[in-house]
Amino acid sequence: LRHQPESIRSFLLQTAILDRFCAPLCNAVTGREDGIEMLDMLERNNLFLIPLDDQRRWYRYHHLFADVLQVHLTEAQPDGVAALHQHASLWYEKNGYLPNAIRHALAAEDFEHAAGLIEQVWSAMDISYQSSTWLGWAKALPDEWLRPRPVLSVGYAWALLDTGDLEASEARLQDAERCLDTPADKMVVVDKEQFRSLPASIATARAYRSLALGDVPGTVKYARQALELTPEDDQTRYMQATSLLGLAQYTSGDLEAAERSLADFHTNIRKTGETLTLIGITFLLADIRVALGRLHEAESIYQQTLRIATSQGESMPLGTADLYRGLGELSIEWGELEAAAQ
């Protein structure tokens, strides 16, 4: 590193904050316009540059070399590191790499920018089962950046529910409610769509929490409240509340009511392509229909969902085995032992 000209050494140090990079990103971080030339030169000179694709668009430094560069950067430019992370965050945001934008905003301690981005990605990450990653980002935000943001607080509560932290989730729901009681100019809202259905989301989260605590009356109360509060075009929230109401009815033994609620949920979830949720609810719905003596309807719903699950290719979704098990148990009921064994 000491043997390199100043322009190369400066480029290496400033781009050391990046775990992967391309020429436009390097230009954004360094404020220079020679990213392509610099990367070509570094690769020719074997300066620990590793290409990450066949087009040689994305690169990273060898991990040990990156560690050395970061130590030298901190020593040489201690006050400039945050600005480099901010530049990286803005570039990633502009180019649609929001997780990377969040990580660099947090590294820069630019909590206002980070909070806005974290709120913006909550819904998509929750649907794609990435709430654990999202929760790590939210926990990195100081509380003063969370309290004025009701949408972010409710997302935080849901992420905590996903990890089983029921008490902490209730505290975040209360934070959101207090925020909603303040004047509009005291609130910060980035995701306007989520804000529109916030009361319904709070009620749904409380229904979820009540069910986890074994409080069936509380689950029914909050699920019905959520259904009343859900905007007509918010199918996701409507399905969440419907499924929770059905689970509460099932738990309390009201099987016919549970069957109606869960059948409604099953019909809607098929349209979304969320196969894991579909499998779970199918097994429950079939179990109810067996208990009600409607075995052929149970078989039909198993077969429908199995066709969807097995159309995913060789890697079948988690829970597919339960569908086969359910069909096997039905075959035993009918005395069809060869089919049951198969």
Side-chain angles (χ1 to χ4, degrees), residues 42 45 66 84 115 117 131 149 151-152 169-170 172 174 176 184 194 214 217 236 253 256 268 290 303-304 332 341:
L42 293 177
N45 291 349
L84 295 173
L117 292 171
S131 60
R149 298 171 179 267
V151 175
L152 191 55
S169 72
E170 175 59 24
R172 291 300 175 185
Q174 291 175 10
Q194 290 295 314
T236 300
E256 291 186 353
N268 283 291
V290 169
Q303 294 285 15
Q304 287 173 17
I332 290 171

Side-chain angles (χ1 to χ4, degrees), residues 10 27 61 117 121 136 140 191 199 207 211 225 229 242 267 276 283 325 340:
S10 174
N27 289 341
Y61 293 123
L117 292 171
V121 301
D191 192 331
L211 191 64
Q225 190 180 100
L229 293 169
T242 302
T267 299
L276 285 174
F283 193 77
R325 180 163 64 88

